[in-house]
Amino acid sequence: MVSERHLATFKDFKQKLASKTGLQLQYEILNSVDYLVPQLRDRVIMIGTKKGEVFSLIKKSIRKVSLKDALKSCPPSEHFKLNLKDLEIMKNIGAGQCWNVLDPQVAFKAMGEKYRGICNDCKTSFEGKGHCPKCKSKNIRNGYGVTSYYRRLSYDKPCYTITTVSTTKAHGSLIHPEFDRGLSVRECARVQTFPDWYKFEGNISQSKNK
């Protein structure tokens, strides 16, 4: 929203909003993990006041809540199962790891056009192929940069951002640190700091709640 690509539009919106409300508008990018939420979640927060600075009053916590802390004694609930292809892949990925720990050819088959590799012979970086497009060598290693595919969470760190595709797609996956499955409904709720008494209605694919 405030990246270079969208910043001009955002500032125009901010100016129009300030003109309409008469408020002094301030914005910052805040991460929920800095406020005792066990989730890495960046969001643009804008606050309007009649006068004065407000973000200096919002104090960050030194302590970070880990996924292990969040899931302690979590009640059981429904969760998505991995399909057979993803299940076989995730069995080779440990806690805190993702696709780039796999054998390069296994990683390429899993990632397809999203695969990133580096040629050990000519040092060329490439995408979407199981061999070097420059020298045709298959002596390759996995590249880096895209770490949200086939990703297993770590107990020792906060969770990544909970999304609607967190357990049903290879991209953005939030696989349990210990078990070969996605986080359950109640585990996702814990990560977002919903209390255990909060009731969700419908099945796992529906969003109605109260």
Side-chain angles (χ1 to χ4, degrees):
M1 188 181 294
V2 294
S3 64
E4 185 177 351
R5 178 183 176 186
H6 301 292
L7 187 56
T9 302
F10 178 81
K11 286 185 174 180
D12 181 59
F13 162 74
K14 178 174 175 284
Q15 183 179 14
K16 290 179 179 177
L17 186 61
S19 176
K20 202 159 187 73
T21 62
L23 298 174
Q24 296 180 16
L25 299 175
Q26 308 157 49
Y27 72 89
E28 294 282 351
I29 299 175
L30 304 182
N31 195 317
S32 61
V33 76
D34 293 323
Y35 304 96
L36 297 178
V37 177
Q39 181 184 189
L40 295 165
R41 194 181 191 103
D42 281 324
R43 289 296 181 268
V44 177
I45 306 296
M46 186 157 63
I47 299 176
T49 62
K50 291 184 177 180
K51 61 178 180 178
E53 163 67 33
V54 292
F55 282 101
S56 61
L57 303 176
I58 304 175
K59 303 300 182 183
K60 294 182 179 181
S61 171
I62 297 176
R63 185 173 75 89
K64 300 294 185 286
V65 182
S66 69
L67 184 63
K68 185 176 182 179
D69 294 332
L71 300 189
K72 185 178 180 181
S73 301
C74 185
S77 62
E78 193 176 6
H79 61 80
F80 279 112
K81 296 180 179 179
L82 299 173
N83 61 45
L84 292 178
K85 174 193 171 185
D86 292 347
L87 179 61
E88 290 304 309
I89 292 171
M90 291 308 305
K91 285 180 178 179
N92 297 299
I93 297 176
Q97 297 179 335
C98 67
W99 68 272
N100 57 33
V101 302
L102 299 171
D103 174 271
Q105 292 303 321
V106 174
F108 167 65
K109 289 181 180 179
M111 296 285 287
E113 64 180 14
K114 301 296 183 182
Y115 176 74
R116 295 188 179 186
I118 302 171
C119 180
N120 289 321
D121 292 331
C122 70
K123 312 305 179 187
T124 297
S125 297
F126 58 91
E127 298 181 15
K129 295 184 181 296
H131 62 273
C132 176
K134 183 177 180 180
C135 70
K136 310 303 179 184
S137 173
K138 288 190 176 182
N139 181 23
I140 63 174
R141 66 182 185 273
N142 296 330
Y144 298 92
V146 181
T147 59
S148 56
Y149 285 84
Y150 294 106
R151 176 176 60 192
R152 191 183 291 276
L153 300 172
S154 170
Y155 275 133
D156 299 327
K157 298 178 181 179
C159 183
Y160 293 99
T161 304
I162 298 291
T163 69
T164 57
V165 298
S166 59
T167 59
T168 56
K169 292 185 179 180
H171 174 53
S173 57
L174 299 174
I175 306 303
H176 195 282
E178 186 176 359
F179 307 115
D180 292 325
R181 62 168 178 80
L183 294 183
S184 69
V185 170
R186 193 52 62 184
E187 287 167 343
C188 286
R190 279 280 188 95
V191 167
Q192 296 175 94
T193 66
F194 284 93
D196 289 343
W197 51 258
Y198 193 93
K199 294 183 179 179
F200 297 90
E201 294 185 349
N203 61 43
I204 195 171
S205 299
Q206 295 173 319
S207 60
K208 185 179 179 181
N209 57 69
K210 67 179 182 179

